[in-house]
């Protein structure tokens, strides 16, 4: 079984504005990397840090169209580290909005890979919802979304808070 996913969502703003909300560290930190921020803009050939601890290796940036990067997959103790690949596509729509599609691939086909792929699918879906609220209405939906972040800790694992 290949572990991969694709999520998408419509943002009701022009593609240039939506694209900038991802590559611009100040904007990205307003709805996604809210704890620790983003260290720099996403520029092809660079490595930036998200949340003050996650290196993002930027492979491709095509203005207003595509961002491709690699970042560390979560591994079990003793397991060799590796990276997954994230591809973000931005498609202008006839109504003036933008369709954003995020795909992530490359997990190992083991229990940790499966768990991590599910967690990241949830995270990217939540990121799109937060981006929509932020870009369209200036609202930070992520604030208070994860109980760990209320304590100032980046969410790393799903936790049962029931």
């Amino acid at each position: 079984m290949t572990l991969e996913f694709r999520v998408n969502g419509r943002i009701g703003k022009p593609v240039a504005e939506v694209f900038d909300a991802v590559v611009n560290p100040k904007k990205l930190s307003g709805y996604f990397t809210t704890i620790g921020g983003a260290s720099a803009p996403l520029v092809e050939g660079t490595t930036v840090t998200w949340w003050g601890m996650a290196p993002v290796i930027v492979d491709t940036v095509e203005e207003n169209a595509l961002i491709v990067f690699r970042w560390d997959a979560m591994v079990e103790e003793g397991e060799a580290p590796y990276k997954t690949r994230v591809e973000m596509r931005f498609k202008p729509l006839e109504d003036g909005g933008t369709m954003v599609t995020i795909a992530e691939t490359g997990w190992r086909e083991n229990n940790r890979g499966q768990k991590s792929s599910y967690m990241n699918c949830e995270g990217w879906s939540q990121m799109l919802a937060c981006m929509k609220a932020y870009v369209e209405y200036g609202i930070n939906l992520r604030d208070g979304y994860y109980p760990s972040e209320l304590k100032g800790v980046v969410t790393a694992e799903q936790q049962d808070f029931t």
Side-chain angles (χ1 to χ4, degrees):
M1 169 197 301
T2 301
L3 299 173
E4 61 186 21
F5 64 83
R6 181 176 317 275
V7 297
N8 58 55
R10 180 190 171 278
I11 311 297
K13 293 290 182 175
V15 69
E17 192 173 335
V18 176
F19 186 84
D20 187 55
V22 177
V23 298
N24 182 321
K26 183 174 182 188
K27 291 180 181 177
L28 187 67
S29 298
Y31 68 91
F32 185 55
T33 58
T34 53
I35 294 179
S39 67
L42 295 176
V43 175
E44 189 170 311
T46 65
T47 299
V48 301
T49 303
W50 286 356
W51 300 288
M53 52 78 124
V56 173
I57 302 165
V58 185
D59 293 323
T60 305
V61 176
E62 295 175 13
E63 189 171 354
N64 300 332
L66 176 68
I67 299 167
V68 179
F69 64 85
R70 291 170 289 129
W71 63 351
D72 294 337
M74 293 171 54
V75 295
E76 296 292 346
E77 188 174 327
E79 185 181 4
Y82 68 101
K83 299 188 182 318
T84 60
R85 180 180 189 270
V86 177
E87 179 178 299
M88 297 180 169
R89 294 196 174 271
F90 302 80
K91 181 181 177 185
L93 301 173
E94 289 182 14
D95 66 2
T98 303
M99 181 60 66
V100 180
T101 301
I102 303 172
E104 190 166 0
T105 61
W107 284 278
R108 290 190 180 133
E109 295 177 16
N110 59 25
N111 287 338
R112 167 46 83 186
Q114 183 180 31
K115 182 177 181 178
S116 296
S117 71
Y118 290 179
M119 190 172 111
N120 284 21
C121 184
E122 175 190 6
W124 288 123
S125 296
Q126 186 260 355
M127 182 265 207
L128 286 174
C130 290
M131 184 192 324
K132 182 173 182 67
Y134 183 81
V135 173
E136 291 182 16
Y137 305 103
I139 299 167
N140 177 3
L141 286 182
R142 190 165 174 112
D143 185 33
Y145 191 86
Y146 292 110
S148 61
E149 291 191 5
L150 290 172
K151 299 175 185 174
V153 179
V154 175
T155 300
E157 290 282 344
Q158 294 173 345
Q159 300 170 6
D160 184 6
F161 287 97
T162 57

